[in-house]
Amino acid sequence: MVSMRVNDEMTEVAVDADTPLLWVLRDLLGMTGTKFGCGIAQCGACTVHLDGVAVRSCRLPVGEVGDRAVRTIEGVGSTPVGARVQQAWLDLDVIQCGYCQSGQIMAAAALLAANPEPDDADIDAAMAGNICRCGTYVRIRDGIKRAAQHG
Amino acid sequence: MADAVLSRRQILRTGALGGAALFLGVNLRSADVALAAPGDNATFKPDAFIRIASDGRATLIMPQTEMGQGIYTGLAMLIAEELDLPLDGVVLEAAPASDKLYGNPIFKVQATGGSTSMMGYWMPMRKVGASARAMLVAAAARRWRVDPQSCRTEAGAVLHDPSGRSLTYGALAGAAMRETPPTEPVLKDPSKFRLIGHSHRRLDTPEKTNGRARYGIDAMPAGVRFATLASPPVYGGKVLAIDDSQAKSLPGVRQIIVLDDLVAVVGDTSWAAMRGLAAIDIRWDDGAFANVSTETLYNDLEQAGRSEGAIVVDTGARDSLIGDGVISARYELPLLAHAPMEPMNCTVHITPGHCEVWVGTQVMTMTQRAAAEEAGLTPEQVTVHNHLIGGGFGRRLEVDGIRKAVRIARLVDGPVKVVWTREEDIGKAPYRSVYGAWMKAKLENGKPVAWSHKAVGPTVVGRWLPPAFNGKIDNDAVDGAAETPYDFPSSFVTWVRHEPRGVQTAFWRGVGPNLNIFATESFVDRVAHEAKQDPLAFRRVLIGKHPRARAVLDIATEKAGWGGALPPRSGRGISLQFAFGTYLCTVAEVIVADDGAVSVTRMTTAVDCGTPVNPDGIISQIQGGLVFGLSAALHGRITLVAGRVQQSNFHDYRVMRMDEMPRIEVHVVRNAEAPGGIGEPGTVSVQGAVCNAIYAATGVQLMRMPIDQALIAKDLQA
Ligand code: FES
Ligand code: FES
């Protein structure tokens, strides 16, 4: 039995502690907003926050979460930065298929929380781990800047 | 993709779209429609696409799959424009499986691809909206006992200005159902458009920002178990034997399934299944293709290129293309995977006499038929729930994953979600084929007097939609070669059908034109170079019958600052095209480092796709299409050794990332021509533009994709 705090609520799950957080969220808790893309920390689709820091949930055994707070795309809108990023994404119509965008939004929100005014190099560094096959990078960059301005 | 049944150009030229509209059954009120549009009597459901409830809630049924291209928004805009329906609050629903009701007007089957949606649905969807509007007006006029001509519509209501009366569509829902649809609905004059031509925010995105959007991989029918699979590492291989002694004892592993050509593990979570599968030692019989390598494929291609091929265009160039002064070149494209961000997946529940499928697919009815075949049922016994697609790019025009999932599900008690690992997705998939183009031209007085283009590659259409292939020429395979923006005094265009060994080929974003535009545009630059002319000036002179091509060429080069000074080992390159009914020109700017590493710093595109239905959506598709093309040009390659694909995940099948991004500018030309396709043209323009820029920067023309930096390193050139 593993217990953890997800989006401000305590949750208990009966699962093998080696199971990556990604699959606990998706398959056992039914929180399918966090996506599977590669399973080897190469694409960023599975990005969640652990105490506000972006991590790849596909490589994080659920047993290692401990008492750190997990936040997912389903809960990021309740943080001021997360809500701003979501709004910027809508304002600029960033999204195409959307599959990578949970991860992009989580990565962008973590970036802005740590660095409220990122420049292009900061954005490259923080976002290069998140692949978008639809190629929405131009608008992701603009979205981050817009969310920063409205902060 | 596919110039199916009729070539797209034929359709555009002959005005066959009118026929397509009839085919769509704009006025159809059969039992099928009632089935497709269930609702109480007070719901206005004039056809298979529109439902307006008595409380005013409007639902539009989307015959095309939303995979990021924005087609839900585009099609909804067409209906709403003619119907004067406010788009805010409209519910969009994926259509159920039915070729009859929801067949793509160009393919005649319920398929989304080939940048055909807007071309195919432009008139049909407007007529759907106009017809429904006429019925609502008729119902209101009858109630008020006034002339329908004295009524107008606005924002979801019918208004009678002389008496100041108005009724909402919801209030008219029941009455409008009793009206007869017009035989020839009157369309709005384009000058009255209030939606078409104005950027509209996408309708499918709010739920994509908060995790609520449901893709196929998110399907969670009650009691679902999770599975993953291993297919043979060599195409056509079979399972010889397995050792699952370790896997069986792992926690969360529920069932191990062995079929003749795949092994699957069912678990409590997808990860338990993946860990279980990894612990199984599988011995494969590699079958017939165990010695196929990338070399083999290119050698075969070269062999195939020696044959004559079928003649597509012959305006007398053949005799001029021998002897002195003939320039020739060969251009080649590698195998590529699609690698959409959402890995292949399919959820299936089989019960006696019924099969339920949850998946995101570009081909609803093919999915239904494939599932029925594998389940031993009739198509009517199969229910397919289509979902949003996490990237298609041609991969989800294939039903291999649906077949495999159903075969697994037959052996599982209860619903099972089969999710492929990324390694399976990249390593065991249908691929974009290798292709080759043999080009020749003859220069006289600095002008090309003869031009030939031989395209060599498979016919994907021939397998995917057999009736669309006449057995001689695959229109998709020669799109962009058969007709170019240029007026060559004489041309000779041929096509050699060549099916590569040991791989299943598939459509891939940009399809046939990916080869043909790359070859044409590279070769135009090569010939310009031989003629000692500027690539822009050379093209300008060659453009004849296509003034729209000249316009995009002029805009893109002007905005890109063509001719302006650049640092050493930097260059600009043009790619100009007419394909998918759309004119497009991209200018790429690159810097080539001394070691040959290429940075693409800027891409400037001008596009004329006719009436721009949703201009910002067009910009978005071009931006994304360019990035997709850049991934292919800079990194894209699938290679084979001993029949096995050597790439497995994003570390060795690289795609563009944020830190490699050039500046991108897109300029949309506005006119009132019928819409052309927009999903693929951007991708198609990249290879030619980037290679021509490298040619300008280094003097070396690259002939095979992806870019090989060893060929353009400085020491090599010195
Ligand atoms: S799924 Fe975790 S980084 Fe790709
Ligand atoms: S929006 Fe489709 S992968 Fe990013």
Side-chain angles (χ1 to χ4, degrees), chain B residues 288-558:
Chain B
F289 301 112
N291 45 24
V292 173
S293 66
T294 308
E295 293 276 85
T296 324
L297 297 185
Y298 280 122
N299 290 341
D300 289 353
L301 188 68
E302 192 181 342
Q303 261 330 101
R306 299 214 174 106
S307 39
E308 287 273 305
I311 296 174
V312 184
V313 175
D314 182 1
T315 52
R318 231 180 320 180
D319 298 339
S320 331
L321 287 165
I322 28 185
D324 285 349
V326 172
I327 307 160
S328 56
R330 164 158 42 117
Y331 300 92
E332 290 170 336
L333 298 182
L335 292 180
L336 290 176
H338 302 80
M341 284 315 295
E342 179 190 6
M344 297 309 290
N345 64 83
C346 180
T347 302
V348 182
H349 188 195
I350 295 184
T351 48
H354 192 229
C355 171
E356 205 167 355
V357 177
W358 294 261
V359 71
T361 176
Q362 292 173 256
V363 284
M364 270 298 271
T365 43
M366 286 186 199
T367 293
Q368 187 185 41
R369 285 192 293 270
E373 270 172 45
E374 299 297 346
L377 297 170
T378 63
E380 297 71 43
Q381 291 172 300
V382 176
T383 307
V384 182
H385 307 278
N386 206 359
H387 287 69
L388 294 171
I389 287 186
F393 317 125
R395 182 66 184 93
R396 290 184 162 93
L397 287 167
E398 301 295 336
V399 294
D400 56 314
I402 287 125
R403 289 187 185 279
K404 287 174 182 173
V406 173
R407 289 168 64 207
I408 292 165
R410 289 188 78 158
L411 301 171
V412 177
D413 203 13
V416 60
K417 169 151 61 177
V418 182
V419 175
W420 298 29
T421 60
R422 179 58 68 187
E423 287 74 13
E424 284 287 316
D425 181 85
I426 287 182
K428 321 269 187 75
Y431 298 100
R432 202 288 298 276
S433 181
V434 290
Y435 284 90
W438 275 251
M439 312 296 292
K440 277 187 191 167
K442 177 131 178 178
L443 272 175
E444 268 174 32
N445 303 322
K447 288 188 81 174
V449 293
W451 176 272
S452 84
H453 183 149
K454 181 194 283 179
V456 183
T459 172
V460 183
V461 174
R463 167 182 60 82
W464 184 79
L465 193 62
F469 177 53
N470 64 11
K472 286 205 192 86
I473 292 165
D474 174 339
N475 288 319
D476 165 53
V478 298
D479 192 9
E483 184 166 8
T484 71
Y486 310 115
D487 278 0
F488 300 114
S490 63
S491 315
F492 187 60
V493 179
T494 53
W495 177 62
V496 177
R497 179 178 180 179
H498 168 64
E499 304 290 340
R501 278 188 270 173
V503 287
Q504 166 80 70
T505 63
F507 293 118
W508 193 92
R509 190 177 193 174
V511 292
N514 265 331
L515 168 74
N516 296 323
I517 306 291
F518 168 52
T520 300
E521 288 304 287
S522 294
F523 197 53
V524 165
D525 260 44
R526 167 75 192 286
V527 176
H529 185 83
E530 301 288 340
K532 302 195 176 22
Q533 288 181 40
D534 171 72
L536 171 58
F538 189 72
R539 282 181 174 80
R540 276 218 182 103
V541 173
L542 282 176
I543 294 173
K545 291 190 291 287
H546 292 277
R548 293 167 70 191
R550 182 192 302 272
V552 292
L553 175 68
D554 286 348
I555 296 168
T557 48
E558 191 217 308

Side-chain angles (χ1 to χ4, degrees), chain A residues 95-101 104 131-136, chain B residues 341 390-391:
Chain A
I95 299 175
Q96 293 191 27
C97 84
Y99 193 80
C100 73
Q101 299 291 348
Q104 306 280 4
I131 295 173
C132 175
R133 270 303 257 166
C134 298
T136 63
Chain B
M341 284 315 295

Side-chain angles (χ1 to χ4, degrees), chain A residues 123-139:
Chain A
I123 293 174
D124 282 349
M127 303 303 293
N130 287 75
I131 295 173
C132 175
R133 270 303 257 166
C134 298
T136 63
Y137 300 122
V138 172
R139 293 180 190 226

Side-chain angles (χ1 to χ4, degrees), chain A residues 36-39 41-46 56 58:
Chain A
F36 166 55
C38 69
Q42 282 286 319
C43 78
C46 65
R56 307 292 186 234
C58 68

Side-chain angles (χ1 to χ4, degrees), chain A residues 16 20 23 26-27 32 35-38 40 42 73 86 91 93 96-99 128 133-134 137 139, chain B residues 68 202 208-209 214-215 217-218 220 270-271 275 338-339 341 422 616 620-621 623-624 649 656-657:
Chain A
D16 171 4
W23 298 111
R26 288 184 55 82
D27 292 355
T32 54
K35 300 302 191 218
F36 166 55
C38 69
I40 59 166
Q42 282 286 319
I73 188 69
Q86 287 172 325
D91 291 345
D93 251 344
Q96 293 191 27
C97 84
Y99 193 80
R133 270 303 257 166
C134 298
Y137 300 122
R139 293 180 190 226
Chain B
R202 289 178 64 128
K208 290 177 177 177
T209 64
R214 288 278 175 275
Y215 301 81
I217 203 169
D218 303 325
M220 280 286 189
S270 303
W271 186 76
R275 181 169 66 171
H338 302 80
M341 284 315 295
R422 179 58 68 187
D616 190 55
S620 191
Q621 278 303 291
Q623 290 171 333
N649 206 319
M656 285 286 285
R657 292 175 179 272

Side-chain angles (χ1 to χ4, degrees), chain A:
Chain A
M1 190 66 82
V2 173
S3 65
M4 58 183 175
R5 179 178 295 274
V6 181
N7 296 334
D8 305 316
E9 275 179 40
M10 285 308 292
T11 321
E12 289 211 324
V13 218
V15 65
D16 171 4
D18 291 343
T19 308
L21 174 61
L22 168 67
W23 298 111
V24 175
L25 292 170
R26 288 184 55 82
D27 292 355
L28 299 178
L29 300 177
M31 298 171 69
T32 54
T34 305
K35 300 302 191 218
F36 166 55
C38 69
I40 59 166
Q42 282 286 319
C43 78
C46 65
T47 306
V48 300
H49 295 172
L50 222 49
D51 279 348
V53 177
V55 297
R56 307 292 186 234
S57 65
C58 68
R59 299 297 275 184
L60 180 72
V62 67
E64 286 176 21
V65 171
D67 51 17
R68 289 176 290 178
V70 177
R71 190 165 296 281
T72 70
I73 188 69
E74 287 91 349
V76 79
S78 61
T79 71
V81 181
R84 257 177 13 238
V85 172
Q86 287 172 325
Q87 190 56 48
W89 255 233
L90 291 176
D91 291 345
L92 299 183
D93 251 344
V94 169
I95 299 175
Q96 293 191 27
C97 84
Y99 193 80
C100 73
Q101 299 291 348
S102 297
Q104 306 280 4
I105 289 170
M106 296 309 285
L111 164 65
L112 287 170
N115 177 357
E117 284 176 56
D119 62 18
D120 282 332
D122 298 331
I123 293 174
D124 282 349
M127 303 303 293
N130 287 75
I131 295 173
C132 175
R133 270 303 257 166
C134 298
T136 63
Y137 300 122
V138 172
R139 293 180 190 226
I140 290 173
R141 187 186 299 280
D142 292 349
I144 292 173
K145 290 180 178 170
R146 185 182 175 94
Q149 273 163 18
H150 290 70

